[in-house]
Amino acid sequence: MSVPFELSPWAESPSCCFFIEAGLLLALLPGPRASAGDAVARALDASTQAAVFRVGDYTWLEDCGIGVQLSPPPVAGAGFPRLLAGKWIDASRSAALWELGPDGLKALQSRLEVDGARFGDSEDYPFRPRGGNREIPARRSAVKLAGGREGVVVDWPSAGRAFALLVSDTAQGQASRRMDDLLRELVLIEGVEQGALAPLVLEGRYAVVLKGWQREADRLRRRTPQGWFSLRVFQVPLTDYESLPRLHDELENELKKIEIKRSAGLRPAIAGSEGFVGEYFGTDEFVQRIAYARLEGGYLVALMQAPMAQRASLAEEMEQFTSSLRESGLGSAFGPAPLYYNRVRNIRCLAWQDGGRVLWGAFFDDSRQQSVLWREDGVSWQIRMTHAGQALREREGQVNSSRALNPLVDADLRALELPEGFKGDVELALNVGGERTTTTLTIR
């Protein structure tokens, strides 16, 4: 838990400027000649970017906390189902992300059936989004669309809301493969309820969840009966300061020159790094909390303001900010997304005799009985060879890809030695990542 403390000054240094990159805001902190009123207005009411924008190949939907490799629609939709992003390749191939509303998939199904679509059976289809550490429960449905197109819909709940991806193609197998590619690269920030925001900071590397906040034109604010809260987030290049204490000290020196002083501070963890949050007062009726952290890609400085009567609520809002700030999954540090084992629905074990030993390997299928590749660290396997119910050999281990168990790759390393002179039938029971299969082999 963070504990209040006081910091003594580290050094005297010149005035500093902070330029905000592709995150929330673009503005300039006023220098020492600015009045207190100008400092508050310019520090807290700078313009922000639009709610939907591009980060590399991604469209970021900050009111949903979703990043997807599709394009934003030309016109924002009203009502549900609400089109969030899409991609049209040609008359047969397209993809779209929808927010479904309180009726869930029925809303999208009714809309498509008006145009002649026919929905088929559905199945559980959990997926793990890019950079995520847990699976998202989802359902997959086959759909036949007008014009002979085949489609796949995957829908899932998130923070009391419902979303769906729809992919169409000339064949359902192709639509399913494109769906898997989109889901594997989807970024999903959990906890973004209706009416909340998940703005990006530090050039999209990080996201924060703001519950009850909204945009008013180009500003981020939260209105309450006692007044409004306002937020600005700055990015400062790491090359500008040799340390976070130096940046913090220089900023406080500039604030003191316009009669804004710190009363106390906390040291919370911010996105896994040690941070600092100070409380500041000026000569007006407002209170500020400023958070500082050194993160990947730069120093972060977040300045939140509220009326003095909202001092306690401001502390809670800043705590929510610092505790919810996390890596978005869009940063370059993530690299190519893993192909997780959760796509596997069936395994096939192949075994053959090689003199006095048995060699074996495995292939993996998805729910469509098509071969699937995966790359994930720490997937456990176990194989047991028995004869007439008696165990002959047993081995186990861990692998990080489907290639590691391919029958054509390093089968010698998985060999099971046979008892000397053994002949007869053996059964091999293979378990990989919780999926189990058996096969029999006659030893001659």
Side-chain angles (χ1 to χ4, degrees):
M1 179 179 294
S2 301
V3 179
F5 71 103
E6 290 289 338
L7 290 181
S8 58
W10 284 306
E12 293 292 336
S13 51
S15 62
C16 57
C17 294
F18 304 93
F19 290 93
I20 300 172
E21 302 292 339
L24 294 179
L25 315 157
L26 177 60
L28 194 63
L29 186 67
R33 294 184 181 180
S35 68
D38 289 340
V40 171
R42 296 186 62 185
L44 301 176
D45 290 342
S47 62
T48 65
Q49 291 194 346
V52 178
F53 55 96
R54 301 288 289 179
V55 180
D57 295 332
Y58 284 83
T59 289
W60 182 253
L61 305 158
E62 73 168 16
D63 62 334
C64 301
I66 294 177
V68 64
Q69 291 182 330
L70 300 173
S71 300
V75 179
F80 296 110
R82 179 168 69 107
L83 180 62
L84 301 175
K87 182 177 182 179
W88 187 88
I89 299 175
D90 54 36
S92 298
R93 297 176 294 169
S94 63
L97 173 66
W98 298 84
E99 181 172 7
L100 302 175
D103 293 334
L105 184 61
K106 290 182 180 180
L108 182 60
Q109 184 173 346
S110 298
R111 177 166 180 158
L112 295 176
E113 286 177 345
V114 170
D115 295 326
R118 290 181 292 118
F119 276 70
D121 295 335
S122 64
E123 62 178 340
D124 290 334
Y125 206 70
F127 68 92
R128 188 176 300 181
R130 178 180 173 90
N133 55 13
R134 76 175 190 91
E135 288 188 343
I136 303 299
R139 298 282 295 175
R140 175 184 179 276
S141 304
V143 58
K144 293 187 179 295
L145 300 164
R149 294 177 298 154
E150 300 282 347
V152 178
V153 178
V154 172
D155 66 288
W156 67 92
S158 180
R161 305 165 75 174
F163 300 92
L165 266 172
L166 168 63
V167 175
S168 68
D169 211 301
T170 53
Q172 191 175 106
Q174 183 64 21
S176 295
R177 285 189 287 273
R178 289 176 52 214
M179 172 67 77
D180 288 345
D181 290 340
L182 281 172
L183 289 175
R184 188 168 57 248
E185 296 298 329
L186 186 81
V187 172
L188 176 61
I189 302 298
E190 297 186 63
V192 185
E193 305 167 356
Q194 195 74 44
L197 294 177
L200 296 177
V201 298
L202 293 186
E203 298 177 339
R205 291 178 183 268
Y206 295 86
V208 62
V209 178
L210 301 175
K211 297 181 180 180
W213 290 69
Q214 58 186 326
R215 289 190 178 273
E216 294 183 3
D218 57 357
R219 297 182 176 127
L220 282 169
R221 290 186 174 181
R222 183 183 179 198
R223 292 200 174 276
T224 71
Q226 292 76 30
W228 52 263
F229 293 77
S230 182
L231 171 67
R232 296 181 70 197
V233 177
F234 302 85
Q235 172 176 323
V236 184
L238 293 174
T239 53
D240 284 5
Y241 296 91
E242 67 273 23
S243 67
L244 184 66
R246 178 63 181 272
L247 181 154
H248 169 268
D249 188 57
E250 292 200 12
L251 177 57
E252 286 202 344
N253 287 337
E254 294 305 312
L255 293 174
K256 289 176 183 177
K257 293 176 183 178
I258 52 175
E259 301 180 359
I260 296 178
K261 299 180 180 180
R262 177 172 55 82
S263 62
L266 307 168
R267 286 194 184 276
I270 301 178
S273 300
E274 183 180 1
F276 174 73
V277 177
E279 184 179 56
Y280 298 82
F281 297 90
T283 57
D284 51 20
E285 294 301 317
F286 292 91
V287 57
Q288 288 80 222
R289 288 222 164 199
I290 305 179
Y292 310 80
R294 176 172 178 158
L295 304 176
E296 182 182 352
Y299 295 109
L300 177 137
V301 179
L303 196 159
M304 191 179 292
Q305 180 198 28
M308 189 69 72
Q310 294 285 75
R311 181 184 178 187
S313 295
L314 181 66
E316 295 175 358
E317 289 293 331
M318 181 54 85
E319 183 179 1
Q320 168 67 22
F321 178 94
T322 57
S323 63
S324 70
L325 188 71
R326 69 198 74 174
E327 290 180 303
S328 67
L330 296 173
S332 58
F334 281 88
L339 302 172
Y340 289 110
Y341 183 82
N342 63 8
R343 281 284 167 261
V344 174
R345 295 294 182 269
N346 179 58
I347 57 176
R348 291 173 285 137
C349 180
L350 277 71
W352 63 98
Q353 183 179 357
D354 180 51
R357 59 183 186 168
V358 171
L359 304 183
W360 64 275
F363 291 116
F364 302 86
D365 299 328
D366 60 15
S367 61
R368 304 179 302 277
Q369 303 303 310
Q370 296 179 358
S371 296
V372 61
L373 302 177
W374 55 267
R375 297 190 303 270
E376 183 174 351
D377 290 336
V379 175
S380 299
W381 63 267
Q382 181 186 56
I383 190 163
R384 183 181 178 89
M385 183 169 65
T386 60
H387 170 69
Q390 299 296 315
L392 299 179
R393 294 288 185 269
E394 187 173 348
R395 291 190 63 180
E396 61 183 18
Q398 289 188 340
V399 291
N400 61 4
S401 71
S402 52
R403 183 181 185 277
L405 295 179
N406 189 292
L408 303 179
V409 178
D410 298 330
D412 289 350
L413 300 179
R414 301 185 296 272
L416 300 173
E417 298 293 332
L418 290 165
E420 186 175 353
F422 178 86
K423 293 184 179 180
D425 294 336
V426 295
E427 181 183 77
L428 289 93
L430 174 64
N431 188 310
V432 181
E435 296 291 332
R436 187 177 185 276
T437 189
T438 61
T439 188
T440 58
L441 180 67
T442 298
I443 306 300
R444 304 184 185 280

